[in-house]
Amino acid sequence: MDARDTELKKELNASLQARRELGEEYESALVDSFLEKVDERIDGAVDRRVRRQLAERQLTVARDARSPRVTDSWGERFGFGIVSLVLAVPLSAIGGGVGHLPGLLVTWLGIVGVNVVQAVRTNPGLFGRREAAKDGDWDD
């Protein structure tokens, strides 16, 4: 029994004692008074539960908004790589023909840069620290 239950029990005992002292004519008023206190307790408990559930939902929404969302499938990443290599041929020819070796290097730095950005976008922790192993992960 917690403190709130003992308070309610004391209220009930006080109401019963008052009924004995005052008689049956005050019985309905004493019962109504006790039931009002019970209603207040129930309302308070429901209010606390609703607030807690609302806070938990807000916390869940905030966590979901912060977490990275990977929407690219394996096929999209593979397709991006293929398109990148296909476009590399004419871009290399143009860069090498116009700017010779420096033009070719700039062209390939651009191609590699675009692919690195794509890789980091789809794998946020690629170049950062690796997350600690979670339950169920293999320890090698």
Side-chain angles (χ1 to χ4, degrees):
M1 215 188 284
D2 67 358
R4 286 180 269 167
D5 290 338
T6 57
E7 289 176 23
L8 196 58
K9 188 174 182 178
K10 286 179 184 178
E11 290 289 334
L12 178 60
N13 287 334
S15 295
L16 291 174
Q17 184 66 28
R19 193 243 181 233
R20 285 187 206 120
E21 292 175 5
L22 297 175
E24 291 183 21
E25 60 268 4
Y26 291 102
E27 182 174 341
S28 65
L30 292 171
V31 169
D32 289 342
S33 173
F34 179 74
L35 290 177
E36 188 176 313
K37 291 175 185 174
V38 170
D39 283 342
E40 289 173 6
R41 293 276 309 275
I42 291 172
D43 289 343
V46 168
D47 190 41
R48 282 190 301 275
R49 286 181 186 165
V50 167
R51 281 192 213 151
R52 185 177 63 233
Q53 288 177 349
L54 182 61
E56 288 172 356
R57 285 183 187 163
Q58 289 174 342
L59 184 62
T60 301
V61 168
R63 285 181 181 161
D64 287 345
R66 264 194 344 220
S67 64
R69 296 178 189 254
V70 179
T71 57
D72 294 337
S73 67
W74 181 85
E76 290 175 20
R77 290 186 303 236
F78 184 72
F80 188 83
I82 294 295
V83 168
S84 176
L85 288 174
V86 167
L87 290 176
V89 174
L91 289 174
S92 297
I94 294 169
V98 173
H100 303 291
L101 183 60
L104 187 62
L105 290 176
V106 169
T107 301
W108 274 96
L109 284 174
I111 293 168
V112 169
V114 167
N115 282 285
V116 167
V117 168
Q118 175 69 7
V120 169
R121 189 182 72 79
T122 57
N123 301 311
L126 187 63
F127 293 115
R129 290 183 358 190
R130 297 209 179 250
E131 293 182 22
K134 296 178 182 166
D135 292 338
D137 288 350
W138 290 86
D139 293 332
D140 291 331

